[in-house]
Structure formats: structure tokens, C-alpha cells
Amino acid sequence: MTNDLLDGAVLGDDGLARPVWAATDPLLRDYYDTERGMPVTDERGVFERVSLEAFQAGLSWATILRKRPAFRAAFDDFDPDVVAGYDERDVERLLGDAGIVRNRQKIVATIGNARATIALREEMGLSALIWSFKPEATPTPTDFSQVPTSSPESVALSKELRRRGFSFVGPTTMYALMEAIGIVDTHLMSSHRRGTSGVWPA
């Protein structure tokens, strides 16, 4: 049984507070407890998360997380070098894959983003570019109403990625990415996950 807390979180049977979205579904709970907000700095890992956040636009994260194994299989584990070489036959293959989100624009964007990722290697690389937009401070929400959905940094990151040839990288999508890979910590101050990334203090 769970009980609502004053800050909008839910107290689980294990005595730990989690957001409502991560309180009951075992898959979402495990993602929240072990993965969300932990630093991701390798190119493949960052590219995967950029791609999944793009596919998530207009959908729930639960949908994407449940389909993540199928996405990884369909997109060759999000290896940018492989995805960048996809052609129209691959687009058609992906559109026929019921295990993923079959959206032509998002599929084509992922292929284009892989090519843009490779182009970035001549400079700082995708991961370093995205992490360069880490803010000087992170939010300290005590209630879910205080958790932002975008920031000046996510707006600037979106603009820079678009300039570099990326698509489906809007400010809200990029803020979700920044939350997911540890660039900001938006866990509630009462959450057992607050400060666990090592990037920001609790």
C-alpha cells in the first residue's frame, strides 16, 4: 500500500518516496531508482537518449521505456556509425517494426541526428557539447509544481543542436534529456534519489 505525501510524492512499502509516475509500475520504479538522473557521458549512450527523448515527444515515457529493448534491436544499439548509414530501405524496415514507435519523421530525424553526431566528432563531440550546457545551479523542488519543463540552458542547447543539423530537439525535449542524464537534478528534495548522481549535492 502507498500513501500520498504532502509534496505530491508517494511513499512506497519500502519507506522511500517516489513521484506518482514511478510509484507502482515495476519498470518505471526500477528506472527511477537506478537510472534516471545518473550521469551518461559516452557518445553512444547520449545519442540513444537523444533519440529516445525525440521518440517520446507526444507520448508517455512509460511507452518508450517498455519499447526500449525493441528500439535498441531495431537501431543497432544506437551505434551512430551504423545508424548514419541507414537508407530508405531501413526507414521502411523501421516503419514495419511494431515493437517501436512507427513515425517516419522521428525515424528520419534519428538517422539525420546520427550523421550530425559523427560530424561533431571533428570538434568536441556530442556528449561534451550537451554537457557544456550544464547550468551553474540545479532546481531544488520541494513539490512537483516547482519542477521546470525547460530552462535558458535547454533553450540554448536546442538552438545549438538545431544549428548543428539535429532535429526533434526542442527546449522541453532537451530539458527532459538534461534531467535523464544528470545534467540537472530535479528530484524532489524529499526523494531518496536526490543528490545520488554525484553531479549535484543533495
Side-chain angles (χ1 to χ4, degrees), residues 30-84:
D30 182 66
Y31 171 76
Y32 180 80
D33 283 352
T34 64
E35 188 174 347
R36 185 178 186 274
M38 296 305 288
V40 178
T41 58
D42 65 294
E43 181 190 74
R44 191 214 61 80
V46 172
F47 173 66
E48 175 184 312
R49 284 155 180 80
V50 169
S51 302
L52 293 178
E53 293 293 347
F55 274 103
Q56 189 269 332
L59 302 170
S60 71
W61 179 242
T63 296
I64 300 302
L65 196 59
R66 290 189 183 98
K67 290 177 177 288
R68 184 164 63 171
F71 268 113
R72 287 173 170 169
F75 281 93
D76 290 285
D77 204 30
F78 290 98
D79 181 332
D81 291 295
V82 178
V83 177

Side-chain angles (χ1 to χ4, degrees), residues 154-191:
S154 76
V155 171
L157 173 58
S158 171
K159 183 177 179 180
E160 179 62 14
L161 286 174
R162 284 173 171 162
R163 188 180 74 82
R164 302 277 189 161
F166 288 80
S167 54
F168 277 91
V169 287
T172 300
T173 299
M174 288 303 93
Y175 196 77
L177 172 73
M178 294 167 79
E179 292 178 290
I181 67 174
I183 296 175
V184 293
D185 185 347
T186 58
H187 292 295
L188 295 186
M189 299 302 290
S190 62
S191 170

Side-chain angles (χ1 to χ4, degrees), residues 73-105:
F75 281 93
D76 290 285
D77 204 30
F78 290 98
D79 181 332
D81 291 295
V82 178
V83 177
Y86 284 2
D87 57 19
E88 184 59 30
R89 289 171 298 179
D90 291 291
V91 174
E92 293 303 320
R93 169 180 63 81
L94 292 163
L95 285 171
D97 190 336
I100 68 170
V101 175
R102 293 180 287 183
N103 179 298
R104 177 179 286 274
Q105 288 182 307

Side-chain angles (χ1 to χ4, degrees), residues 93-126:
R93 169 180 63 81
L94 292 163
L95 285 171
D97 190 336
I100 68 170
V101 175
R102 293 180 287 183
N103 179 298
R104 177 179 286 274
Q105 288 182 307
K106 292 177 180 180
I107 290 169
V108 171
T110 301
I111 297 169
N113 289 349
R115 294 168 183 166
T117 295
I118 291 172
L120 273 174
R121 291 174 184 167
E122 297 178 3
E123 299 179 49
M124 63 174 63
L126 178 63

